[in-house]
Amino acid sequence: MNVKETGLCPDAPEKTGRRIAGQDPVKREQILEGAKRVFTRLGFDAASINDITREANVSKGTIYVYFANKEDLFEALIERERQSIFSDKDMAFTGDGSVGEKLKRYGMVLVRRTCSKHVIMAQRTVIAISTRMPEMARRFYEEGPRKGKEKMIAYLNAEIEAGNLVIDDVEHAAYQFSELCLAGIFRPRIFGYMPEPPTDEEIERSVSSAVGMFLSYYGSRRERAKET
Amino acid sequence: MNVKETGLCPDAPEKTGRRIAGQDPVKREQILEGAKRVFTRLGFDAASINDITREANVSKGTIYVYFANKEDLFEALIERERQSIFSDKDMAFTGDGSVGEKLKRYGMVLVRRTCSKHVIMAQRTVIAISTRMPEMARRFYEEGPRKGKEKMIAYLNAEIEAGNLVIDDVEHAAYQFSELCLAGIFRPRIFGYMPEPPTDEEIERSVSSAVGMFLSYYGSRRERAKET
Amino acid sequence: MNVKETGLCPDAPEKTGRRIAGQDPVKREQILEGAKRVFTRLGFDAASINDITREANVSKGTIYVYFANKEDLFEALIERERQSIFSDKDMAFTGDGSVGEKLKRYGMVLVRRTCSKHVIMAQRTVIAISTRMPEMARRFYEEGPRKGKEKMIAYLNAEIEAGNLVIDDVEHAAYQFSELCLAGIFRPRIFGYMPEPPTDEEIERSVSSAVGMFLSYYGSRRERAKET
Amino acid sequence: MNVKETGLCPDAPEKTGRRIAGQDPVKREQILEGAKRVFTRLGFDAASINDITREANVSKGTIYVYFANKEDLFEALIERERQSIFSDKDMAFTGDGSVGEKLKRYGMVLVRRTCSKHVIMAQRTVIAISTRMPEMARRFYEEGPRKGKEKMIAYLNAEIEAGNLVIDDVEHAAYQFSELCLAGIFRPRIFGYMPEPPTDEEIERSVSSAVGMFLSYYGSRRERAKET
DNA sequence: CATGAATGAGCTTTCATTCAT
DNA sequence: CATGAATGAAAGCTCATTCAT
């Protein structure tokens, strides 16, 4: 009797049900790209759907085909950004070199990434919305910076095992290393006091100092000897 | 019935004459108090002038007598908050104790203050608005956290003079100490991943570790000996 | 897989040729069925083409092949409903029995039908739209309730001829009988004050009283005598 | 400490609390007048706030100061209309005359009023919305037509007491009389089949017939004798 | 000066309709 | 013919700002 069994959604994500993906991933990407530009330029509230419409070159209706509402679009964007920002690809501790060299390579990437124009913008918008969308901000941190630390913890444990480091609270040590690398950079950046990303030299100086400090405290006698 | 404590008018205005625009500091304070509650609760965009009106118990027109517009009110508020948050009163390095003890006292206050509910909220709103009002955010950081470091720099220089510390880049060292103290606390707090302020024990642990690390790197041989 | 029962095409179209616009009565029916469910549930304005699309299991484009626009679809639906609601099939005055018995049978069907859930809904939607689409509403009444009265008028005339009734204005008498049957039911129903259709007992009570009143006034002396 | 104790609403009905009356009853009236014109011309859905804005000569914001939303405005309007339409003032059974004369006076007013242009429009909009706002429609009927019948029931009881009428189910009889009066008028009117209100002669004819029929059935022997 | 009613631009969101596939 | 993604006008509603009192 029934003609088709598919209840495929016309036009839009079901109001009641869960999202049914807008069919064209290219268009979806196009919207997200536009939204990214607008949201990072203006922040959540100041960005209007019309702005995004213009920037993404799609009609207003189309946006609402792919995303249930402004918040939903924002969430999807932040999710995507989080994944692209905190992908592990170049944060590995592979390759040759001493502990210090490895830490330095890691620190350089960490600072360069975390304080880049785009990532600072992303973090600002997330922080801005965190009071109204706490779960989203929480997820952003947990799945982003938080999880980024796991790899370092694993590495530190390996070096402890190898007798190169002596660390009591490994997790906290990982935090300490990150913050040392970002010292004098991250906070000025996020508040806009440092309008441009740090140069590689600036980063190098900060990271070198961080490595030195870190190893001077956590390096085993053997390792400290090597450093000097 | 009448609201104003007319005696508070500065420069002895004639009792019968009109008051000059925005000259009643009590009313101004009243507005800023309400604005503070609303802005820190909701952020700049989500806060409406009506909310502030309600919270401050003044009429809409009155707000526009004292402040040109919403942004202006916000700026004035942030300025006031900055001053109250980063006042030096309890960030001094006075009193007895070793270098470590002094640093610890300083670090404890720094973390407790910077990560308190209200201050986190304030920082979020500033970061949120920093793209649209860069000068304001810049000023907030410069006159706030930035300047807060001056006192520490002075102190570090004194200890260097006294032969207790050996530091190359004093300013960066000051940053490093702050970030070490805040490691694992500030960023989780600002992103809402850590919803409640840290307990004093948590702060103590972090600051102690920071002090240890700092002195292990920057302490003169003499000083390091004392620590151990 | 293929949906259409191609054998149903009228006028034997070539099997390979294209069908002429709006010529597949099965699809048309399918659309009208869906539209009926949606329009009667929500009314004209609150019903969206998408709702109908979903309910009828056809695409949006298809609807616009068979109907010029939403109003056109609605009109077609109302036309169809009018015909099905006011078809004479069971409103006849055939069969045995006295005048009173025949009137009662007629009245019962009239009330049951006019106050059923679906018919009330249909009438509401027509009344709702009558200001914007007056011609449609007019036609609905004229070809529906109005014409439904013809049969009764014919019957009344027959009874007058037979000397059983004495009626001056037959048309008005027909109206009077209908309204008497519906007294205390139709208006409460259409306004939603009586949310459920009347039970058969309720209908019976009302219709009996109507018949009594009608005959007491219009019955010939002979007929009135029989009633008592 | 607190400056004013009044939490008087700025701008608008509290979002969370109950309505605080827009201060200026004249403006409120002005809005309702405009809304009445627009709603009765177009119905609830087709009427836009902008239309009302134009018709009432107030700004959009002002409407939302006095009414929480479109539905709320509509409800207020219907409530007002109900009260003005069904006010008892001229529906009394006072004055001289026989039962028949009194019934006739009542019936004339009833029909004239119920089938007037404006009242038909009002009833249409209420019926139109009854599915989506059932409580409102219910109230409209209950406090309007329903309650309007109370007075008649009281009158009928008085006449029964006086031995002029013999009625079993007084409530139903009241309904019957109303519907008889409206026979051939109300339904054609509400469906727009009769575009203009009935003339007084038409009303007179219908009501006279209704009175005749009513008394012929419910009149005591004595009363029936008088009629003839 | 203080007030708060009034304003209207601008917001997010919906939906009838079109049209390339 | 059937499809459903895309459109954009128009909807309801909010809120910073003004101004007569």
Side-chain angles (χ1 to χ4, degrees), chain B residues 14 53 59 107 142 180 195 227:
Chain B
E14 290 84 340
T53 267
S59 80
E142 182 159 26
L180 276 177
E227 263 328 279

Side-chain angles (χ1 to χ4, degrees), chain B residues 124-139:
Chain B
R124 279 182 192 159
T125 61
V126 171
I127 289 168
I129 215 69
S130 66
T131 315
R132 264 183 294 164
M133 304 167 69
E135 205 37 58
M136 199 213 59
R138 172 179 248 286
R139 274 256 306 288

Side-chain angles (χ1 to χ4, degrees), chain C residues 35-47 74 77-78 81-82 85-86 111-130 136-137 140 185-198, chain D residues 124 126-134 137 190-191:
Chain C
K36 171 180 162 181
R37 284 199 289 278
V38 177
F39 277 132
T40 51
R41 195 191 319 130
L42 302 172
F44 180 77
D45 287 292
F74 185 65
L77 174 64
I78 293 301
E81 286 305 288
R82 187 187 51 65
I85 293 171
F86 300 103
V111 177
R112 207 179 289 122
R113 181 184 286 182
T114 309
C115 297
S116 74
K117 234 165 191 146
H118 172 61
V119 177
I120 284 290
M121 284 306 235
Q123 290 178 91
R124 278 181 193 160
T125 61
V126 171
I127 289 167
I129 215 69
S130 65
M136 199 212 61
F140 180 85
I185 302 179
F186 176 74
R187 281 208 281 167
R189 283 287 288 145
I190 202 93
F191 279 101
Y193 182 73
M194 184 194 273
E196 293 299 315
Chain D
R124 279 183 192 158
V126 171
I127 289 168
I129 214 68
S130 64
T131 312
R132 258 179 300 159
M133 302 166 70
I190 201 98
F191 280 100

